[in-house]
Amino acid sequence: MTPPLLRITALTKRFGGFTALDQVDLAVAPGERLGLIGPNGSGKSTLVNCIAGTLRSDAGAIEFKGRDIGREPAFRRVHLGVARTFQLPRPFTSMTVIDNLRIPLLYGGTSVTLDSGRATAEAMFILEQVGLAARADAMSGGLTQVDMRKLELARAIAAKPALLICDEAMAGLSGSEVDDILALLFGMKERGVAVVMIEHVMRAVMKFSERIAVLVAGRKIADGDPKSIVDTSEVVAAYLGE
Ligand code: ADP
Ligand code: MG
């Protein structure tokens, strides 16, 4: 068996007396497509924040490429190959769309440092993939919510990750826009990128995921192939029926 790209063991995160993550175990294989679902407030974004280093966990371990990254600062985790999108996009609003991508391409990549011309070309290539090429020179602050989400995804892709975590990247998108993003994320596999999709759009999660994990109130209650997850009555009650 391939060793996992990401291995989380007994991860616990508390906010004061409130336990947001309670001994969560989770592994992601290289190139795997994992869906992570659960009701609002179940700890999905907190888990992403702990993996990315935005938050520090209270107990448990986070290993990436076989090394313990639980105490590494966020920027080093990006360099190692962890990229995430924020549920609420936060681009540099006073920069153009393309400059928002040029920055990670010039400074944020895992190993290759691009010169300015190459960074511009690569940024345009990514913008074309997410359907934002026409907005390249627009100021990011003036984008619609939908375009903001596409830019958020483009920024994560520009970091050339080995693991891409999409935190509700499809919220508010139309059916055809969801399909565009899905196609883009399916394409990541050919580049060997593992993708964790956190999503309420169940059609997308079911279509995308090779495996689905379910969080409820900070605990992982199920983890398996998508069909068996949907058949789990607890999952249906906790999530799908909400
Ligand atoms: P999800 O992404 O599954 O909707 P979150 O991870 O955002 O859930 O939140 C899990 C729980 O932790 C919620 O009850 C939320 O209110 C709480 N929480 C999240 N972030 C913080 C924080 N920075 N401070 C205090 N409580 C938080
Ligand atoms: Mg969330």
Side-chain angles (χ1 to χ4, degrees):
M1 227 190 88
T2 354
L5 176 68
L6 175 75
R7 191 205 304 269
I8 291 165
T9 317
L11 197 74
T12 297
K13 175 66 190 174
R14 297 183 199 94
F15 296 111
F18 175 76
T19 303
L21 292 175
D22 191 2
Q23 307 216 22
V24 173
D25 295 330
L26 187 70
V28 182
E32 191 178 22
R33 296 192 305 267
L34 175 76
L36 178 62
I37 64 174
N40 281 328
S42 56
K44 303 182 299 296
S45 293
T46 301
L47 182 60
V48 178
N49 287 331
C50 289
I51 297 167
T54 317
L55 285 175
R56 187 157 285 199
S57 51
D58 294 303
I62 306 169
E63 284 168 76
F64 186 71
K65 294 179 179 168
R67 90 186 235 191
D68 181 0
I69 60 162
R71 298 282 167 231
E72 299 278 8
F75 78 88
R76 201 163 291 145
R77 300 188 202 193
V78 173
H79 280 252
L80 285 168
V82 180
R84 60 86 60 88
T85 67
F86 283 91
Q87 192 169 348
L88 300 172
R90 28 174 104 167
F92 297 109
T93 51
S94 59
M95 275 184 205
T96 60
V97 166
I98 194 160
D99 278 345
N100 261 281
L101 288 204
R102 281 168 42 84
I103 300 299
L105 285 171
L106 287 168
Y107 309 108
T110 43
S111 52
V112 221
T113 313
L114 298 179
D115 63 44
S116 184
R118 292 265 321 273
T120 303
E122 175 101 24
M124 270 317 286
F125 179 69
I126 297 170
L127 288 178
E128 273 157 25
Q129 289 182 303
V130 300
L132 270 186
R135 307 288 289 147
D137 296 321
M139 293 306 281
S140 306
L143 292 180
T144 61
Q145 267 302 308
V146 170
D147 284 349
M148 204 82 97
R149 288 186 181 282
K150 291 181 178 171
L151 175 58
E152 185 67 8
L153 199 57
R155 283 177 62 204
I157 292 170
K160 297 198 168 49
L163 174 68
L164 171 63
I165 310 174
C166 299
D167 195 357
E168 302 200 26
M170 296 175 180
L173 302 194
S174 72
S176 71
E177 285 163 341
V178 164
D179 288 338
D180 287 351
I181 302 289
L182 264 180
L184 192 74
L185 294 180
F186 268 110
M188 300 306 286
K189 180 138 192 155
E190 284 135 47
R191 308 183 195 183
V193 180
V195 179
V196 175
M197 178 192 282
I198 297 173
E199 203 51 69
H200 282 278
V201 182
M202 275 311 284
R203 174 180 75 85
V205 180
M206 291 302 292
K207 189 170 167 189
F208 182 76
S209 308
E210 295 166 319
R211 183 161 64 90
I212 292 179
V214 187
L215 275 186
V216 174
R219 286 170 192 251
K220 192 177 80 172
I221 63 155
D223 187 339
D225 74 275
K227 258 196 144 56
S228 74
I229 292 295
V230 169
D231 292 344
T232 308
S233 58
E234 200 176 355
V235 172
V236 174
Y239 186 70
L240 304 171
E242 83 172 341

